[in-house]
Structure formats: C-alpha cells, structure tokens
Amino acid sequence: MKKILLSITACCCFTMMAQQVTVKGPYPLLKGVETGAYHPVLSADGSKLLFSASNEKGLKLYDFDDDVVTVITDAERAGYEPKITDDGKVYYVKQNADGLIKYRTAVCYDIAKKTSRVLVENERNVLPAALLSNGGAVLRGTMGVKSVDADSRKSGVAVYTEGSKVIINDNGAVKEYSPEESSAGYLWASLSPNGKKVAFFAAGKGIVVIDLRGNVLARLGNYEMPTWISDNYIVAQNATDDGHQFTSSQIVLLKADGSWLKELTPKTSMSMQPTASAEAGKVVYSTIDGNLFVMELSIND
C-alpha cells in the first residue's frame, strides 16, 4: 500500500523559502481499507498510528512499516486519548456502565506480544495515561498519579490538563498552573520535543504556550488540538461552526512564538484532529467523513 500511496502524482509539494518549510502531501491513508477512521494518534517515531470510530468505540493500530492494521479492542470509549510509548505499549481506558453509573478500566496492550493486561479495573474516575518525555507513561485517576513501570514517574516530564489547570510532572515534582482565565477549562496539553515548552488549548482563548514554570511564552490564537512538529512549530486545527455543526475545518502550521502561520489544508477540506511526529516529520489527520491523510514536513528551524 505504501508504494501505491507514494506513487500518487496528484499531491501538493511546495517550499516556503522564508520559513524553509517543505510539505509533501497530503496522501490518502488506508483508502478503501478503513472507513469511519477518526482520532488518529502517532507514535513518537511516526511508525505506528492509533485510530478509532467516530464515537471512540474500539481502537485499531496501523503499522506503516508492515502496512498492517490490527484491532486492539472493540471496547467503548477506548479511542478517547489513547497513548503509545516508545517501548511499544498502548495505554487506553475503556468504559462500562452499571445502570447510570459508569466505570472505567485502564488497559495496557503490548504491540509485540499482542497481549493486554488490566492496570486499574472498574474505577469511576480513571483518566487517560500521560506520556513521559523519557518514553514511559503515568496513570491518572482516583488513585492519584502513579507510574506504569517502576521509577518511571520520577524520570522525564509529563503534561496534561484538569479543568482550568495545566499539570506538569517534572521528574516527580508535580505542579499546577492556570496561566489563562478560562471558565470552560483547558484541553490538549502537548510537550515540545525538547521537553521545555507546553502548548495547550484554553476554551474561549485558543492555544497558549508556556514554559515548565507556567510562564506564558506566546498566545497563538483561537486554534485547537495543538501538537508539536518541532521545538518551534505546532500543527493545529482551525475550525468554525454555526453552533450546531462544523462549517469549515483545516490543518495549520503555527510558529510557536505566534509570528507565523501556514495553511496546510484548505478550509473547505473539513480536515481535523491532527497528530504529529517530530522525529519523522509526519502529520496525520482525519476528515469529517472519516478519511485519514498523511503529509511529511521538513522544517529548517
């Protein structure tokens, strides 16, 4: 399939000389193989991709090298913020209900062994895992924050949001910051590849970039779902709606200091939910009708 995708001639390839950014693509991904694919999540090295159905039911894994799709689970809500670590583990939270009460179970899937193990079972407030900059992960929920593997909590940086707070776990020291007023809360915290900056979305305000001490470095505008493609550039979603449904949506490239923006897809493309690998220079996104696309970015910082 990769050979077919790479042979597509109707692709966009251009160079922005001022910013020295080269974009190849987008190319359709898994066209004719998967339909209704949403919520893509790339591994750090860009070799693997997680995705799920529109209602976040089930979770699938695509291997770019082997060109194989594997079904990890059919469980409800398993596609909500899954994480994939450098050592080939996938962490996800599935949901079940007992009457009106909903319970969640945290699961770890081993890609190489194709086996799953339950980490926390039937807790009411289990939250998605947070990745550590050392390649590991930490769990969150009613049990507090704890490491997945021994001592991993004290090594590396993990970032996530809770309400109107950005939580930064810096080598075991956990601190909370609220640098931007937002009564509706924060979402989508993302750590820069060098582990020195955090981008997040503040509802009603847009993307904010801070350092590990909570100091605001830049406000990038009302864009969503920030993900770092390099230490100085962020890929994000730029969407509009009429209060009921999307009226436009595109993928944009932003300089992290707020000085520059480039449209990577047109507003009419209804492209959304970007995920990026800085190591591979790769961006994957979905469209409103559930089609996946991939593009390659080369940025000279």
Side-chain angles (χ1 to χ4, degrees):
M1 178 174 292
K2 287 193 299 180
K3 292 181 180 179
I4 295 175
L5 293 179
L6 293 177
S7 68
I8 293 175
T9 57
C11 66
C12 168
C13 180
F14 57 88
T15 302
M16 295 298 299
M17 295 304 294
Q19 294 296 323
Q20 296 181 316
V21 177
T22 301
V23 183
K24 295 182 179 179
Y27 310 108
L29 183 63
L30 298 175
K31 186 176 182 179
V33 178
E34 293 288 337
T35 58
Y38 299 88
H39 314 293
V41 176
L42 275 169
S43 60
D45 65 2
S47 67
K48 295 175 176 60
L49 178 75
L50 300 171
F51 63 95
S52 63
S54 59
N55 61 356
E56 292 138 9
K57 181 177 182 180
L59 185 62
K60 296 181 179 180
L61 173 73
Y62 174 62
D63 190 309
F64 283 88
D65 295 328
D66 296 338
D67 193 23
V68 172
V69 174
T70 301
V71 177
I72 294 177
T73 179
D74 292 324
E76 294 285 346
R77 297 285 289 175
Y80 178 65
E81 294 190 21
K83 302 295 190 301
I84 181 169
T85 58
D86 292 352
D87 61 351
K89 304 294 193 307
V90 174
Y91 295 91
Y92 65 92
V93 175
K94 62 182 181 178
Q95 181 173 286
N96 60 289
D98 182 6
L100 297 177
I101 301 176
K102 295 180 180 179
Y103 295 94
R104 297 179 176 89
T105 295
V107 182
C108 173
Y109 175 82
D110 189 305
I111 295 174
K113 297 178 181 178
K114 297 184 178 181
T115 58
S116 298
R117 62 186 175 98
V118 172
L119 302 173
V120 179
E121 189 169 18
N122 289 339
E123 291 274 357
R124 291 195 61 183
N125 295 314
V126 174
L127 300 171
L131 290 180
L132 283 160
S133 58
N134 68 355
V138 292
L139 295 178
R140 302 183 292 134
T142 55
M143 63 289 184
V145 179
K146 67 178 184 179
S147 60
V148 171
D149 299 305
D151 297 326
S152 67
R153 176 182 173 183
K154 296 182 179 180
S155 177
V157 180
V159 300
Y160 49 94
T161 62
E162 290 182 1
S164 294
K165 298 181 294 185
V166 174
I167 315 298
I168 299 178
N169 179 342
D170 186 357
N171 290 289
V174 180
K175 295 185 179 180
E176 303 177 353
Y177 300 103
S178 298
E180 196 75 20
E181 290 187 11
S182 176
S183 59
Y186 300 165
L187 291 170
W188 304 307
S190 179
L191 183 68
S192 63
N194 62 10
K196 295 181 179 180
K197 293 178 284 188
V198 179
F200 67 95
F201 171 79
K205 301 296 182 65
I207 296 175
V208 181
V209 179
I210 61 174
D211 62 19
L212 297 190
R213 295 182 178 180
N215 299 307
V216 174
L217 302 177
R219 295 177 175 88
L220 306 188
N222 197 23
Y223 307 101
E224 303 168 325
M225 304 190 75
T227 178
W228 295 86
I229 188 66
S230 76
D231 291 327
N232 298 312
Y233 288 85
I234 291 170
V235 177
Q237 169 183 295
N238 178 30
T240 60
D241 63 79
D242 60 7
H244 301 283
Q245 59 185 5
F246 287 107
T247 55
S248 71
S249 190
Q250 66 179 154
I251 307 302
V252 296
L253 178 66
L254 305 165
K255 198 162 186 181
D257 63 3
S259 66
W260 184 83
L261 175 150
K262 173 61 188 176
E263 297 180 347
L264 296 179
T265 62
K267 293 180 179 180
T268 55
S269 66
M270 301 303 285
S271 48
M272 53 189 59
Q273 301 171 346
T275 178
S277 162
E279 184 177 334
K282 183 182 294 183
V283 176
V284 174
Y285 62 88
S286 179
T287 61
I288 198 168
D289 51 357
N291 294 317
L292 294 173
F293 288 85
V294 59
M295 62 175 64
E296 298 174 2
L297 276 64
S298 177
I299 304 173
N300 187 347
D301 288 343

